[in-house]
């Protein structure tokens, strides 16, 4: 089953990267043994895995160098991209491959293999066991160019991985040629044949270099933790195996006169179609199980989220009631209803009242967040005059403005068109903005101006303060969750207030923005679409 957790999904590219070392080690081991056998003249070490062709000494040397680079890159450098060694290796492989190809085409070029191994390369021509075949040389050229382009810029790594896929395709064709006993698949004309061990080594090297970058382009399709990667990892290897195995059965049947070519081909088609259908059915069953498991997990998460929301809603509601009671008691004490207070006592109670009011605002914001942010259906939209919720919000802030000695000034136009909205929610938005303006205003003589006007076919509510203002970076983060601006001696909170206001205005089809300069105050603007004479927004 596909891992569902994000940590397990992220571990798939890591596991793919972990195959690079073992694959390179296999190539280094076999090519090293073959090269050692050539140098010491030990014939048992030169026996190929299958077929009449041995791995040439030049081929073994180049494969050993490429595999050694991968081993060093994997085990010693911490998966770093060694740019200079990679470029040098790519140039070496391209140079060797091109020199062998040019020499095979009978151009007047030096014999590189005779220069490297003068005692091993015979003079009998290109058909010698010690000669690299043109197919092998071409594979080295492709591998070298892939290494030159194999780095982390997306366009170049795309070309590199296409080259590696081409290299893997050539290797598979040669391997299938050996399995089917068809020399035309692993040789070119009268030239020497590509050995079976060399084809296997190229296949392993191509896979290792593809897996070295598991999160890029081609490899990400198979190494991804999503359902597409799950299906690709299971279908592709088995479909390739079924095709090769079905062809082998067809050829064996013809070889031993069990059936004719047409009947064998028909049996091959039936075999592959049946096995592929069964394989697809198994994958579909697995995907259905995965989907049902994920749906069940999603239901559990939704249930837990609902329980958490209900808990927080009840908790904040229970916290709000005693805070409101405490605020009323503190207001009565400060006003002298329970007896005259000394100046020092009144100052202490005013500080307590401010802290209690801040805590009450935080609880109300948290409760409103779970009302408005979770479900848009809680709004009750009506055609309203925007001045009414604005005056309602200001009336609830008279005590706070008097406490901070901040004057609230409302400028309204009598001919403002109505808007469609929830009066309670819009009053909450205005109250929150004016409350912040009061908190950030300097005491004694400060003024907060609220303007209602019509501009660009939008009904605007502008709340202007004389506070410290905001930087450009603070304005960009202002309406995000848990974001804070400048800190004043009276400012505290969760950072949910402006985020909640932004969500409410967005739900009304409007916009909430801020204009501010550091040291020159801030202006928050609510822009709502008016209701036309036909009754539509």
């Amino acid at each position: 089953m596909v891992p569902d957790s994000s940590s397990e999904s992220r571990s798939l590219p890591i596991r793919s990267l972990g195959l690079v070392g073992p694959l390179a080690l296999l190539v280094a081991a076999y090519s090293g043994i073959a090269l050692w056998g050539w140098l010491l003249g030990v014939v048992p070490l030169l026996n190929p895995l299958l077929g009449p062709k041995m791995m040439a000494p030049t081929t073994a040397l180049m494969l050993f160098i490429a595999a050694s680079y991968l081993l060093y890159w994997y085990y010693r450098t911490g998966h770093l991209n060694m740019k200079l060694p990679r470029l040098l290796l790519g140039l070496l492989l391209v140079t060797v491959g091109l020199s062998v190809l040019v020499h095979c085409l009978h151009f007047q070029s030096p014999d590189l293999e005779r220069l490297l191994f003068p005692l091993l390369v015979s003079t009998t021509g290109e058909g010698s066991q010690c000669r690299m075949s043109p197919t092998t040389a071409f594979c080295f050229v492709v591998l070298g160019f892939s290494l030159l382009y194999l780095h982390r810029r997306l366009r170049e790594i795309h070309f590199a991985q296409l080259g590696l896929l081409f290299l893997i395709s050539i290797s598979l064709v040669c391997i299938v040629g050996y399995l089917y006993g068809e020399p035309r698949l692993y040789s070119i004309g009268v030239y020497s044949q590509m050995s079976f061990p060399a084809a296997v080594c190229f296949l392993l090297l191509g896979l290792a270099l593809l897996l070295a970058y598991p999160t890029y382009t081609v490899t990400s399709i198979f190494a991804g933790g999503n359902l597409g990667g799950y299906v690709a990892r299971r279908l592709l290897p088995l479909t390739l195996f079924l095709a090769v195995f079905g062809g082998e059965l067809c050829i064996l049947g013809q070889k031993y006169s069990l059936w004719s070519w047409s009947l064998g081909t028909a049996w091959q088609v039936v075999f592959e179609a049946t096995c592929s259908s069964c394989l697809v059915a198994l994958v579909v069953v697995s995907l259905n199980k995965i989907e049902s498991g994920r749906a069940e997990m999603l239901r559990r998460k939704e249930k837990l989220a609902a329980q958490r929301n209900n808990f927080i809603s009840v908790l904040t509601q229970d916290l709000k009631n005693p805070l409101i009671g405490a605020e009323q008691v503190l207001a009565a004490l400060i006003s002298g209803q329970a007896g005259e207070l000394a100046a020092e006592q009144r100052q202490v109670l005013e500080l307590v009242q401010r802290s209690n009011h801040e805590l009450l605002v935080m609880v109300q914001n948290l409760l409103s967040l779970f009302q408005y942010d979770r479900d848009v259906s809680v709004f009750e939209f009506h055609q309203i005059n925007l001045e009414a919720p604005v005056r309602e919000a200001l009336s609830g802030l008279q005590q706070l403005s008097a406490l901070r000695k901040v004057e609230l000034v409302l400028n309204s136009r009598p001919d403002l068109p109505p808007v469609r909205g929830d009066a309670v929610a819009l009053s909450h938005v205005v109250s929150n903005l004016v409350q912040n303006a009061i908190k950030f205003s300097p005491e004694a003589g400060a003024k907060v101006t609220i303007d209602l006007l019509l501009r660009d076919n939008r009904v605007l509510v502008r709340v202007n303060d004389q506070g410290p203002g905001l930087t450009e970076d603070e304005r960009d983060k202002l309406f995000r969750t848990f974001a804070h601006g400048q800190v004043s001696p009276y400012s505290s909170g969760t950072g949910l207030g402006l985020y909640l206001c932004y969500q409410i205005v967005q739900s009304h089809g409007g916009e909430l923005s801020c204009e501010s300069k550091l040291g020159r105050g801030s202006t928050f603007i609510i822009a709502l679409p008016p209701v036309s004479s036909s009754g539509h927004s």
Side-chain angles (χ1 to χ4, degrees):
M1 181 174 291
V2 172
D4 188 73
S5 65
S6 59
S7 60
E8 290 181 344
S9 298
R10 287 193 298 267
S11 68
L12 283 171
I14 298 176
R15 289 194 301 228
S16 301
L17 190 63
L19 295 174
V20 175
L23 292 175
L25 186 60
L26 289 174
V27 177
Y30 190 86
S31 58
I33 291 173
L35 181 61
W36 193 252
W38 279 109
L39 294 176
L40 297 182
V42 182
V43 177
L45 298 179
L46 303 178
N47 289 332
L49 299 177
L50 182 67
K53 182 76 168 67
M54 300 178 184
M55 183 186 292
T58 312
T59 303
L61 177 62
M62 294 298 105
L63 288 174
F64 182 78
I65 294 175
S68 299
Y69 161 78
L70 273 179
L71 288 175
Y72 184 80
W73 173 84
Y74 181 80
Y75 288 109
R76 297 301 298 274
T77 63
H79 308 308
L80 296 177
N81 187 24
M82 300 187 301
K83 183 176 182 180
L84 182 59
R86 175 177 53 79
L87 294 177
L88 292 177
L89 177 61
L91 290 174
L92 174 64
L93 295 179
V94 171
T95 302
V96 172
L98 288 178
S99 64
V100 173
L101 283 175
V102 170
H103 184 75
C104 290
L105 294 175
H106 301 287
F107 288 107
Q108 296 297 325
S109 61
D111 190 347
L112 179 64
E113 293 180 283
R114 182 178 295 278
L115 294 176
L116 292 176
F117 301 98
L119 300 179
L120 298 178
V121 179
S122 65
T123 59
T124 57
E126 288 80 8
S128 171
Q129 290 281 359
C130 300
R131 291 283 184 178
M132 182 190 299
S133 71
T135 309
T136 305
F138 181 72
C139 287
F140 277 124
V141 174
V142 175
L143 181 60
F145 274 115
S146 299
L147 284 171
L148 292 176
Y149 282 98
L150 197 63
H151 52 84
R152 295 186 181 275
R153 283 189 293 182
L154 185 60
R155 180 180 297 179
E156 283 77 5
I157 201 173
H158 181 71
F159 285 117
Q161 291 190 338
L162 288 178
L164 293 174
L165 288 176
F166 185 52
L167 176 68
I168 292 173
S169 301
I170 296 175
S171 305
L172 287 175
V173 170
C174 294
I175 292 173
V176 170
Y178 275 103
L179 293 178
Y180 289 175
E182 180 52 63
R184 287 175 293 183
L185 294 178
Y186 53 84
S187 62
I188 301 177
V190 297
Y191 295 105
S192 60
Q193 304 166 346
M194 183 179 185
S195 66
F196 181 79
V200 174
C201 289
F202 279 121
L203 175 63
L204 297 180
L205 277 179
L207 291 175
L209 287 172
L210 281 179
L211 295 175
Y213 296 89
T215 58
Y216 289 86
T217 59
V218 177
T219 318
S220 61
I221 299 175
F222 303 95
N226 49 19
L227 290 179
Y230 170 80
V231 173
R233 286 191 298 274
R234 279 150 182 80
L235 283 181
L236 185 62
L238 290 177
T239 50
L240 290 175
F241 171 77
L242 288 176
V244 174
F245 184 69
E248 183 68 18
L249 286 180
C250 180
I251 291 175
L252 287 177
Q254 296 176 36
K255 181 178 180 180
Y256 294 102
S257 302
L258 297 178
W259 48 66
S260 62
W261 178 86
S262 57
L263 182 59
T265 304
W267 276 115
Q268 180 184 359
V269 171
V270 172
F271 171 77
E272 293 183 12
T274 303
C275 293
S276 299
S277 301
C278 295
L279 181 59
V280 171
L282 291 176
V283 172
V284 169
V285 171
S286 300
L287 292 179
N288 290 337
K289 291 181 179 179
I290 294 171
E291 192 64 30
S292 61
R294 289 184 173 178
E296 179 64 26
M297 185 173 293
L298 182 61
R299 284 194 294 268
R300 292 179 182 177
K301 288 182 178 179
E302 290 176 348
K303 184 177 179 181
L304 290 175
Q307 292 175 350
R308 180 195 60 193
N309 295 341
N310 292 335
F311 171 75
I312 295 179
S313 178
V314 172
L315 179 62
T316 51
Q317 187 69 40
D318 292 341
L319 286 174
K320 185 176 73 171
N321 295 331
L323 290 174
I324 293 176
E327 184 160 336
Q328 293 174 349
V329 172
L330 289 171
L333 290 175
I334 293 173
S335 64
Q337 297 180 15
E340 291 296 326
L341 300 175
E344 293 81 3
Q345 293 173 326
R346 182 174 281 104
Q347 289 178 357
V348 172
L349 288 177
E350 287 177 352
L351 290 176
V352 175
Q353 188 183 33
R354 290 174 182 175
S355 300
N356 185 82
H357 184 78
E358 293 287 343
L359 183 58
L360 179 60
V361 169
M362 284 190 284
V363 172
Q364 287 176 336
N365 283 337
L366 189 61
L367 182 61
S368 300
L369 179 69
F370 280 92
Q371 276 185 319
Y372 299 135
D373 195 35
R374 303 295 178 188
D375 189 3
V376 181
S377 63
V378 300
F379 295 111
E380 296 182 1
F381 289 97
H382 302 284
Q383 184 172 312
I384 60 173
N385 190 333
L386 196 54
E387 185 176 352
V390 171
R391 291 190 178 276
E392 178 71 21
L394 295 182
S395 65
L397 296 174
Q398 293 299 326
Q399 186 177 352
L400 178 63
S401 63
L403 184 65
R404 292 292 313 279
K405 299 180 178 60
V406 175
E407 182 184 0
L408 300 180
V409 179
L410 175 62
N411 301 317
S412 176
R413 288 178 49 174
D415 57 344
L416 284 178
V419 299
R420 184 175 181 273
D422 188 317
V424 176
L426 293 176
S427 177
H428 177 85
V429 173
V430 176
S431 176
N432 205 310
L433 295 179
V434 176
Q435 209 165 200
N436 286 340
I438 294 174
K439 287 193 300 182
F440 285 96
S441 296
E443 292 189 10
K447 182 186 295 186
V448 174
T449 306
I450 301 96
D451 298 315
L452 276 75
L453 59 151
L454 181 65
R455 182 176 296 171
D456 298 330
N457 198 29
R458 292 275 175 167
V459 180
L460 304 184
V461 180
R462 294 168 54 94
V463 179
N464 177 260
D465 62 48
Q466 298 175 347
L470 300 169
T471 63
E472 184 176 352
D473 183 61
E474 288 172 334
R475 288 204 312 271
D476 294 338
K477 302 177 181 177
L478 202 55
F479 301 114
R480 301 178 188 176
T481 315
F482 306 112
H484 298 271
Q486 291 282 348
V487 179
S488 76
Y490 305 99
S491 69
S492 61
T494 58
L496 293 175
L498 290 176
Y499 168 75
L500 178 60
C501 293
Y502 184 80
Q503 297 296 323
I504 293 175
V505 174
Q506 287 281 317
S507 300
H508 283 71
E511 298 177 358
L512 178 59
S513 58
C514 175
E515 298 175 355
S516 180
K517 289 186 177 181
L518 201 60
R520 298 186 181 180
S522 303
T523 301
F524 286 84
I525 305 171
I526 304 171
L528 296 173
V531 177
S532 64
S533 57
S534 60
H536 298 287
S537 295

